[in-house]
Amino acid sequence: MSSAERPIAVGPASRSREAPLLPGAMLGVLGGGQLGAMFAMAARRMGYRVTVISDSADVPAARHADRVEVVDYNAGDQLAKAAAGIDAVTFEFENVPADAGRAMEVVTRVHPSPEVLATTQDRGREKAFLSLHGFRTAAHRLVESPAALHEAAEAVGLPGVVKTASWGYDGRGQLRVADRSQLQAAWDALGARRLVLEAWVDFSMEVSVVVARGADGETAACAPSLNVHAQHILDVASCPAPVSAETAAKAQDMACRLAAALGLVGVACVEFFLTREGELLVNEIAPRPHNSGHLTIEAAATSQFEQQVRAICGLPLGATDAISPAAMANLLGDLWSEGEPDWAAALAVPGVRLHLYGKQEARPGRKMGHLTACRPTVEEAIAAVTEARRRAASPLGLTEVSGSSPSRLP
Ligand code: AMP
């Protein structure tokens, strides 16, 4: 086992006073998307019951729930009522008000703490937290006026990226600015009154680490995955990432230290830019399982979703060893532009597994599902998922599916 695959375990820092929640307990997940669905599947496999708390009943996680509570995320009384009978609540989406977690915390245990959510859902607060704890990030400034944006451009340098401080994800709420002439237009277009200007990072690659931390301070980090984006949305993730053992260990160590600094109980994903000089800059932290960690379902000893169950229930964390090199390709709504994709053709590619989230409407850019492949090498795994996705996109019946083998994939 290479050091990149080796789990990093940090010994217990303090003993939790919470008794472990054992199978049979009711777990709640705030948010009803695919991350909640995969959490619910892992929890139910382990014998837990699941309540999905969402602002809509028609959500992917509802298909895997014992109970669904439809709430307004801004209504504390509804949230407190929904929390009744739930032994522990977690999040699957950070764009819910931290106050929603606080309202539930009055009734039951909430992991991660709503304060972790409050720190990580605002880029200004998140970056201040990272700087305070000595984690390097891209040069940046938080701005609250067009004049301040111009001053920040002087200090940070351009090109850069202007990002809304809150409620942004998958590249929403961000604009690249090449020079000063574009600053005012970016301010007007984003329409927010708190923005972060970040210097453009000429990175060699983007990697991320899924880390879990228990209430007793134990941490466990997965090997870093390589993330390739298209239109600011994750396109393909693969593991192991093509980084040195030293860089992989450093990324895992940083993720564990970050989880500890946050006081995280649960799972988080730390996204990094690896600069051409070999430095790891923290891009952002998601205090929940992450799209880049979906491949842990097939390719790691413990999936990120089981790890979330274990961490919030106070159980020992699972091993993070990689079982196989693997790759994951997202299936966005665009793939449905010619009608239902050709799943038979996609699944004819050896080693490919299909995950569909059960979303009815296939809008461009919407995450509808993903493909994962475990193969002897990561290059073969990447080739398998990209080939399978290409075949799925072909109009039904026009795809040649016979005789495929990984060695023949482009
Ligand atoms: P974010 O929502 O901040 O993770 O940004 C989405 C994607 O945009 C990142 O994964 C990068 O591919 C790209 N990006 C964001 N910020 C920067 C930056 N400062 N320099 C270069 N690329 C960036």
Side-chain angles (χ1 to χ4, degrees), residues 131-180:
S131 303
L132 183 69
H133 290 274
F135 294 96
R136 298 273 328 258
T137 62
H140 64 274
R141 285 282 164 91
L142 177 68
V143 298
E144 303 195 12
S145 69
L149 180 58
H150 278 83
E151 275 170 37
E154 277 305 313
V156 161
L158 293 178
V161 199
V162 186
K163 304 179 176 182
T164 55
S166 47
W167 311 119
Y169 64 99
D170 284 346
R172 278 172 239 202
Q174 344 193 331
L175 287 171
R176 188 175 191 275
V177 282
D179 55 48
R180 293 179 66 82

Side-chain angles (χ1 to χ4, degrees), residues 58-60 63 333 336 340 356-363 366-368:
D58 183 22
V59 287
R63 300 193 305 158
W336 275 250
E340 187 66 19
L356 286 177
Y357 308 144
K359 297 179 184 177
Q360 295 308 313
E361 199 191 334
R363 292 190 295 271
R366 189 176 197 204
K367 290 175 181 169
M368 302 294 289

Side-chain angles (χ1 to χ4, degrees), residues 123 138 161 163 169-171 174 198-201 203 206 229 232 271 273 283-284:
R123 289 186 198 274
V161 199
K163 304 179 176 182
Y169 64 99
D170 284 346
Q174 344 193 331
E198 241 178 71
W200 187 256
V201 180
F203 51 77
E206 292 184 79
H229 294 78
H232 292 282
E271 294 181 63
F273 296 133
N283 173 27
E284 60 178 3

Side-chain angles (χ1 to χ4, degrees), residues 96-112:
V96 287
D99 276 343
R102 293 188 186 110
M104 303 188 90
E105 212 174 20
V106 174
V107 181
T108 187
R109 61 174 95 162
V110 177
H111 294 311

